[in-house]
Amino acid sequence: MVSRSPMHWARALYSAVTWAAQPVLRRKLLRRAQAEPVYAEHIPERFGRYAPATLGEDGRGQWVWIHAVSLGETRAAAILLAALRQCLPGMRLLLTHGTATGRAEGMKLLRPGDLQVWQPWDTPGAVRRFLRQFRPAVGVLMETEVWPNLVAVCRQEGIALALANARLSDKSLGQALRVAPLARPTYAALAAAWAQTEDDAARLRQLGAPVRGVLGNLKFDARPDTVQLERARACRQAFVRPVLLLASSREGEEAMLIEALHALGPQARRVQWLVVPRHPQRFDEVAALLAGAGLHVSRRSQWVGGPPAGAAAGDIDVWLGDSLGEMAFYYGLADAALMGGSFAPLGGQNLIEALACDCPVALGPHTFNFSEASELACAAGAALRAPDMDHAIRQAMALAQDPPSHLHAVRQARDFLQEHRGAAQATAQAVVALMRAQEPFLR
């Protein structure tokens, strides 16, 4: 009788659960499609079944596969991809996602000969069908997307799978250690992990990940959309008041803002407020929440050109950024930003993007998704730290209304970003080296 280890049984149980959950996934996709129709498209791809148009037989062994689950990871992937195309001018990209926003953003990255499909659901069968169809030369998971069967089957099929721009918070480490018989062999089976920070590397090693380097955060190498920034700066010439932005807000944070604005009373009118929710399915919900609080709202989707300015903006309390792909425009409009996800215990959103647009940021207490970048930015004077929304608003208002302080913060942000660039080229070179090491097995 063959004895099976706890690790074997852990993945077997996990595989049984993911297999049994397939009908639930289908129903969830159809529900989400009511708000975002993309979720109803190409559903068979979720289960490793692809249309003839995506067979790509001539691409076997040539695909550079990048998995970017959602919007933030896709933006990081875009930075890496630009460096990869320089190293591999003829590369063919296989790009996978898990969310509608990721897929929409990813479409912008495709060139003739590239493919974009959904990530297969993490059952052994779906993953195996995906891998045997495309047979990528190398696989790159962005940031945190480590799935047990995806990693295990890649190992079985001889496909090197790496985790790039890797980060792991204390909270995520604790969660993984609670299912250590599943998590440890999963991380250990990766071909490489390239961490953002030394702290991330130490946590990844606790799970057995083969950390091959601490290369920094790809997002420091991002360059904002210059067309959007120029358009924003042209609009700002007509503004009477400074603009404060609640950027990438998450559920509960708009209510915090409303409460703080009511507490400020007439002082709140000294600045123009701009709110950009993180998720597009919440645009209508946030608009209704703001209007229900007695605030006059102007939605980006209803603007002709730029936002209302001068007399036209006189009775508007909040601009609502209800569009996708325009964060550079929103940051360009703003004199300072409150970073969403950091006031509710959600880990914070990407402050680097704001700083790259010359928009200083005020952070709440919860920044574990960007812990080192947040601490370094605050230490460099490029960002402010606040214990709650009320204090952050007062700090941001003071900064926005004091031109010398604002200019100093912008200069500090530029110096801070320049000091930490270089991860894109280093990661691209590491991916190419890993792919080259696989070439004998792909012939």
Side-chain angles (χ1 to χ4, degrees):
M1 183 175 179
V2 178
S3 175
R4 300 291 190 179
S5 69
M7 293 179 181
H8 168 84
W9 290 115
R11 193 161 74 84
L13 177 59
Y14 168 82
S15 297
V17 170
T18 55
W19 181 85
Q22 291 177 97
V24 178
L25 173 63
R26 288 182 182 274
R27 289 196 294 271
K28 180 180 178 181
L29 291 171
L30 293 175
R31 282 198 305 272
R32 295 200 68 173
Q34 295 174 10
E36 296 174 88
V38 173
Y39 280 104
E41 297 177 5
H42 312 292
I43 286 179
E45 294 181 357
R46 302 276 191 173
F47 304 96
R49 303 186 188 282
Y50 302 90
T54 63
L55 284 175
E57 292 290 340
D58 61 337
R60 286 185 184 272
Q62 299 177 28
W63 299 110
V64 174
W65 164 37
I66 297 179
H67 175 58
V69 61
S70 194
L71 183 62
E73 292 83 359
T74 305
R75 288 175 175 166
I79 301 164
L80 173 59
L81 182 58
L84 276 172
R85 292 199 194 275
Q86 289 182 346
C87 297
L88 300 168
M91 67 165 278
R92 299 184 67 184
L93 172 67
L94 174 63
L95 187 60
T96 59
H97 311 279
T99 69
T101 53
R103 188 155 180 154
E105 186 73 9
M107 287 183 66
K108 305 172 187 176
L109 307 181
L110 303 179
R111 292 184 179 179
D114 294 341
L115 285 178
Q116 182 187 47
V117 296
W118 289 118
Q119 170 200 12
W121 183 236
D122 202 41
T123 62
V127 171
R128 192 166 283 111
R129 286 190 293 272
F130 166 78
L131 293 175
R132 290 183 177 177
Q133 176 157 326
F134 297 109
R135 195 68 192 175
V138 68
V140 181
L141 308 175
M142 298 303 302
E143 299 197 357
T144 61
E145 274 294 289
V146 180
W147 290 83
N149 283 320
L150 191 67
V151 177
V153 179
C154 279
R155 185 70 172 261
Q156 293 166 8
E157 296 287 326
I159 296 169
L161 184 64
L163 184 64
N165 212 42
R167 57 184 173 88
L168 186 71
S169 67
D170 283 324
K171 179 180 178 181
S172 296
L173 174 61
Q175 292 170 340
L177 289 174
R178 285 196 286 273
V179 290
L182 182 64
R184 286 189 188 279
T186 298
Y187 279 86
L190 290 166
W194 302 301
Q196 292 186 18
T197 71
E198 292 290 351
D199 287 343
D200 289 314
R203 289 187 284 265
L204 287 162
R205 290 189 184 103
Q206 288 188 57
L207 292 176
V211 178
R212 307 298 186 207
V214 178
L215 305 184
N217 190 333
L218 289 168
K219 293 174 182 176
F220 280 111
D221 291 313
R223 294 293 191 273
D225 188 313
T226 55
V227 173
Q228 290 189 24
L229 284 179
E230 288 303 317
R231 182 156 48 93
R233 287 165 184 158
C235 291
R236 286 180 62 164
Q237 296 178 10
F239 297 169
V240 176
R241 297 174 289 174
V243 176
L244 287 191
L245 164 64
L246 175 56
S248 297
S249 60
R250 305 284 295 275
E251 190 168 0
E253 292 183 320
E254 298 91 1
M256 295 180 194
L257 176 65
I258 290 169
E259 184 177 349
L261 295 185
H262 285 323
L264 280 172
Q267 292 184 60
R269 298 282 296 170
R270 294 179 181 175
V271 299
Q272 174 63 59
W273 291 95
L274 169 60
V275 175
V276 181
R278 176 73 176 87
H279 297 116
Q281 60 267 32
R282 297 189 61 241
F283 288 160
D284 291 341
E285 171 193 334
V286 173
L289 180 68
L290 294 168
L295 299 171
H296 292 89
V297 179
S298 173
R299 300 179 64 153
R300 166 71 180 97
S301 56
Q302 298 171 354
W303 295 351
V304 177
D315 62 346
I316 296 173
D317 299 301
V318 181
W319 297 334
L320 178 63
D322 59 344
S323 65
L324 289 174
E326 289 196 303
M327 283 310 301
F329 175 61
Y330 294 130
Y331 283 128
L333 292 176
D335 294 273
L338 312 174
M339 190 50 56
S342 70
F343 299 98
L346 298 167
Q349 301 301 141
N350 178 20
L351 74 157
I352 300 169
E353 184 179 10
L355 299 181
C357 296
D358 289 345
C359 182
V361 298
L363 305 170
H366 307 288
T367 54
F368 53 80
N369 287 337
F370 299 89
S371 55
E372 183 171 280
S374 299
E375 294 304 321
L376 291 173
C378 290
L384 305 170
R385 174 75 74 178
D388 53 40
M389 179 77 76
D390 289 345
H391 284 83
I393 286 174
R394 293 182 186 279
Q395 288 179 333
M397 288 181 68
L399 182 64
Q401 295 176 96
D402 181 8
S405 296
H406 182 269
L407 180 59
H408 177 73
V410 168
R411 288 173 173 166
Q412 295 298 97
R414 291 174 181 174
D415 292 344
F416 169 68
L417 294 176
Q418 185 59 41
E419 181 182 350
H420 290 89
R421 287 184 172 129
Q425 191 62 36
T427 306
Q429 291 172 355
V431 172
V432 171
L434 186 61
M435 185 176 69
R436 299 286 192 229
Q438 290 294 107
E439 285 181 347
F441 302 101
L442 295 170
R443 291 172 184 161

